[in-house]
């Protein structure tokens, strides 16, 4: 099974050393690595071909590169080009790539042979020649944060002036919702916290209580979510998902299986301090079996965060997963839990690629066959985030609006929590996966001030 919107495992080199030593034109030969096969081997631009970049040309804008924005939006990379013309690097937040080297115009330089430890050659699809020596500790990998939020901190910010605007919008008969939208959709979460403090200082009133008295329905939920500190909002969402009768397992999965170690630890501490409860105990009382164990593992916030990929270890883990599932009668669930809960996301990406070679099936498909229910969804979420985190959230947004009715809580939660992290990339993936923009789907699925505020956050 191939997951919609995810690049094929050989769509971009999964290994340092690209391009191979001796081929010092920046682009690979025509037809490889998802570049269009055209005369000259380079994407067309105005009817001509791109020249090979001179050594050390750097990034777009330097001599020999196409002008910013000239990359094709639907090339082998997920999403449309970002500002500056360079498409986002696949792999999502924190994806590790080796340092760039001279002579390759900013692409990673192949490490010298002596940087590899012993071991036989490993077959790596997408890597020139198909094999490299393994394992390869090499130099520490650089971490490229290819993330961008639609909401940025407002320049020339004045908390007192914003508090005054909000007070005026709510004072007297009626409410000026547009004035409220103009402020909250254009301030960072940190700035909103300062506005709350300024409002209480200036007027001796609680801004949140005033907003609740003036607003209702989905627009109220959205604005209150925007005014919650981000860690508190995650903790509040988890508490809400486990409070009372029934459990919203998808919320537990969405938050606990996608956040960083630091975010998890802050959420766990906030949950304890704000609600006087132990999140692990609540999970144990609300879930069971292998799903419970997976969530408890996630709550530890102990995932390896070393960004250097050990390809021999990836091969061993892939073999271990195969033997625990497809390669035996029955399933060793604890093996899947151990690997997927503890390895770094770049390491898991390499494991997924190695698994495809061993099993002749992708790991998501094997999880489909070996698991069911909530634990299946949790394990697949981790794999999807290792492959392409923005695509995971794009899919969640799509299904929150697809069909009759709208899952407004999911729509609100993802738009709010990703608005300062990677909502730009999520929008790009959404368009690529579903051939429509996120803004267009929100516009057709919502209405009134709720729609205006969502669109103001998401952007067109």
């Amino acid at each position: 099974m191939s997951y919609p919107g995810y690049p094929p495992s050989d769509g971009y080199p999964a290994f340092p050393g690209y391009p191979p030593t001796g081929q010092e034109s920046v682009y690979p030969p025509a037809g490889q690595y998802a570049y269009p096969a055209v005369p000259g081997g380079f994407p067309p631009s105005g009817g001509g071909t791109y020249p090979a970049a001179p050594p050390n040309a750097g990034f777009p804008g330097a001599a020999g590169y196409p002008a910013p924005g000239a990359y094709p939006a639907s090339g082998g990379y997920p999403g449309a080009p970002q500002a500056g013309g360079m498409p986002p690097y696949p792999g999502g937040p924190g994806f590790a790539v080796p340092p760039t080297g001279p002579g390759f115009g900013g692409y990673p330089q192949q490490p010298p042979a002596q940087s590899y430890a012993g071991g036989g050659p490993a077959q790596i699809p997408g890597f020139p020649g198909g094999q490299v020596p393994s394992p390869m500790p090499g130099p520490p990998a650089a971490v490229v944060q290819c993330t961008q939020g639609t909401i940025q901190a407002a320049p020339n910010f004045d908390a007192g002036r914003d508090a005054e605007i909000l007070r005026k919008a709510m004072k007297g008969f009626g409410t000026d919702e547009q004035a409220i939208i103009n402020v909250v959709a254009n301030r960072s979460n940190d700035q909103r916290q300062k506005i709350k403090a300024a409002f209480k200082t200036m007027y001796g009133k609680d801004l949140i209580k005033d907003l609740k008295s003036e607003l209702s329905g989905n627009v109220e939920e959205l604005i209150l979510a925007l005014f919650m500190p981000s860690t508190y909002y995650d903790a509040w969402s988890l508490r809400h998902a486990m409070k009372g009768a029934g459990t919203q397992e998808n919320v537990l999965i969405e938050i606990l299986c996608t956040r960083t170690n630091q975010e998890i630890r802050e959420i766990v501490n906030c949950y304890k301090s704000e609600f006087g409860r132990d999140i692990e105990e609540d999970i144990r009382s609300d879930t069971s079996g292998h799903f419970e164990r997976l969530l408890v593992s996630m709550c530890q916030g102990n995932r390896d965060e070393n960004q250097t990929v050990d390809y021999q270890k990836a091969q061993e883990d892939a073999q271990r997963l195969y033997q625990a599932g497809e390669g035996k009668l029955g399933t060793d669930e604890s093996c899947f839990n151990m690997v997927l809960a503890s390895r770094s996301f770049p390491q898991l990406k390499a494991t997924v690629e190695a698994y495809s070679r061993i099993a002749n099936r992708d790991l998501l498909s094997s999880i489909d066959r070996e698991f069911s229910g909530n634990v299946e969804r949790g394990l697949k979420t981790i794999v999807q985030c290792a492959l392409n985190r923005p695509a995971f959230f794009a899919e969640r947004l799509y299904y929150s609006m697809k069909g009759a009715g709208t899952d407004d809580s999911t729509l609100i939660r993802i738009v709010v929590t990703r608005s300062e992290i990677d909502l730009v990339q999520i929008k790009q993936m959404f368009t690529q996966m579903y051939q429509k923009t996120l803004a267009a789907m929100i516009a057709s699925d919502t209405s009134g001030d709720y729609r205006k505020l969502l669109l103001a956050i998401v952007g067109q």
Side-chain angles (χ1 to χ4, degrees), residues 147-164:
T147 57
Q148 187 181 349
T150 55
I151 291 182
Q152 311 289 332
N156 305 316
F157 170 67
D158 184 333
R161 183 182 60 203
D162 285 346
E164 194 175 349

Side-chain angles (χ1 to χ4, degrees), residues 71-235:
Y71 281 80
S74 58
Y77 296 89
Q82 294 197 31
M86 199 65 179
Y89 199 93
F95 188 80
V97 294
T100 57
F104 292 94
Y107 281 98
Q109 182 179 17
Q110 183 170 351
Q114 60 266 29
S115 73
Y116 300 98
Q123 295 294 324
I124 307 296
F127 184 81
Q131 39 175 266
V132 292
S134 64
M136 53 154 298
V143 179
V144 178
Q145 293 287 348
C146 294
T147 57
Q148 187 181 349
T150 55
I151 291 182
Q152 311 289 332
N156 305 316
F157 170 67
D158 184 333
R161 183 182 60 203
D162 285 346
E164 194 175 349
I165 291 169
L166 293 178
R167 172 70 174 145
K168 185 177 177 183
M170 295 183 284
K171 192 176 180 182
F173 184 74
T175 305
D176 184 351
E177 287 88 354
Q178 189 60 54
I180 297 173
I181 290 170
N182 290 344
V183 170
V184 300
N186 295 290
R187 305 292 183 271
S188 67
N189 189 278
D190 182 62
Q191 289 175 334
R192 291 184 213 113
Q193 306 315 311
K194 291 181 170 70
I195 294 170
K196 274 199 301 189
F199 193 92
K200 186 169 281 190
T201 300
M202 293 166 67
Y203 304 111
K205 301 184 71 175
D206 187 280
L207 174 59
I208 302 305
K209 287 182 179 175
D210 276 14
L211 287 168
K212 288 178 77 169
S213 69
E214 296 289 330
L215 305 167
S216 63
N218 291 323
V219 72
E220 176 190 350
E221 183 180 344
L222 177 52
I223 285 182
L224 295 185
L226 286 164
F227 272 103
M228 290 184 197
S230 54
T231 299
Y232 177 85
Y233 184 39
D234 275 346

Side-chain angles (χ1 to χ4, degrees), residues 395-446:
E395 186 202 30
R396 288 278 286 151
L397 285 169
Y398 178 76
Y399 284 103
S400 75
M401 294 179 280
K402 185 178 184 289
T406 303
D407 180 354
D408 293 293
S409 289
T410 296
L411 175 58
I412 290 168
R413 189 174 56 255
I414 295 177
V415 166
V416 170
T417 58
R418 311 313 294 184
S419 61
E420 293 182 52
I421 300 174
D422 55 0
L423 193 51
V424 168
Q425 283 73 26
I426 291 168
K427 285 167 56 181
Q428 292 169 350
M429 287 309 307
F430 192 97
T431 302
Q432 184 173 325
M433 292 162 68
Y434 303 111
Q435 288 73 56
K436 66 175 75 174
T437 66
L438 176 58
M441 196 161 184
I442 287 173
S444 66
D445 228 60
T446 59

Side-chain angles (χ1 to χ4, degrees), residues 73-369:
S74 58
Y77 296 89
Q82 294 197 31
M86 199 65 179
Y89 199 93
F95 188 80
V97 294
T100 57
F104 292 94
Y107 281 98
Q109 182 179 17
Q110 183 170 351
Q114 60 266 29
S115 73
Y116 300 98
Q123 295 294 324
I124 307 296
F127 184 81
Q131 39 175 266
V132 292
S134 64
M136 53 154 298
V143 179
V144 178
Q145 293 287 348
C146 294
T147 57
Q148 187 181 349
T150 55
I151 291 182
Q152 311 289 332
N156 305 316
F157 170 67
D158 184 333
R161 183 182 60 203
D162 285 346
E164 194 175 349
I165 291 169
L166 293 178
R167 172 70 174 145
K168 185 177 177 183
M170 295 183 284
K171 192 176 180 182
F173 184 74
T175 305
D176 184 351
E177 287 88 354
Q178 189 60 54
I180 297 173
I181 290 170
N182 290 344
V183 170
V184 300
N186 295 290
R187 305 292 183 271
S188 67
N189 189 278
D190 182 62
Q191 289 175 334
R192 291 184 213 113
Q193 306 315 311
K194 291 181 170 70
I195 294 170
K196 274 199 301 189
F199 193 92
K200 186 169 281 190
T201 300
M202 293 166 67
Y203 304 111
K205 301 184 71 175
D206 187 280
L207 174 59
I208 302 305
K209 287 182 179 175
D210 276 14
L211 287 168
K212 288 178 77 169
S213 69
E214 296 289 330
L215 305 167
S216 63
N218 291 323
V219 72
E220 176 190 350
E221 183 180 344
L222 177 52
I223 285 182
L224 295 185
L226 286 164
F227 272 103
M228 290 184 197
S230 54
T231 299
Y232 177 85
Y233 184 39
D234 275 346
W236 178 88
S237 297
L238 291 169
R239 177 68 191 128
H240 190 70
M242 293 185 281
K243 192 176 180 181
T247 305
Q248 299 172 45
E249 291 87 358
N250 281 337
V251 177
L252 305 184
I253 293 168
E254 180 198 302
I255 294 174
L256 294 175
C257 293
T258 66
R259 303 304 194 247
T260 65
N261 284 352
Q262 182 179 346
E263 287 168 341
I264 292 285
R265 291 168 189 161
E266 289 172 355
I267 290 166
V268 169
N269 291 335
C270 179
Y271 195 94
K272 181 78 171 177
S273 63
E274 294 295 329
F275 306 115
R277 304 178 67 90
D278 185 282
I279 192 170
E280 194 174 313
E281 289 178 8
D282 280 359
I283 286 170
R284 290 187 189 281
S285 66
D286 265 57
T287 61
S288 61
H290 297 293
F291 181 54
E292 172 198 323
R293 292 170 207 168
L294 179 64
L295 293 183
V296 169
S297 293
M298 294 295 99
C299 279
Q300 306 314 303
N302 276 333
R303 182 180 297 283
D304 179 18
E305 291 190 329
N306 181 358
Q307 300 298 300
T308 304
V309 174
D310 182 335
Y311 289 89
Q312 181 171 319
K313 187 177 185 179
Q315 186 81 10
E316 292 166 356
D317 280 347
Q319 188 68 46
R320 186 179 288 129
L321 291 173
Y322 179 73
Q323 295 297 337
E326 297 277 5
K328 65 175 285 187
L329 186 64
T331 307
D332 180 357
E333 293 88 354
S334 63
C335 177
F336 279 81
N337 193 103
M338 183 275 292
V339 172
L340 296 184
S342 61
R343 306 293 189 248
S344 72
F345 284 118
Q347 183 70 32
L348 282 178
K349 187 173 189 294
T351 301
V352 170
E353 290 162 354
Y355 185 91
S356 296
R357 298 190 294 275
I358 291 170
N360 289 320
R361 183 193 312 277
D362 66 60
L363 184 56
L364 286 168
S365 177
S366 290
I367 291 172
D368 258 338
R369 290 157 60 94

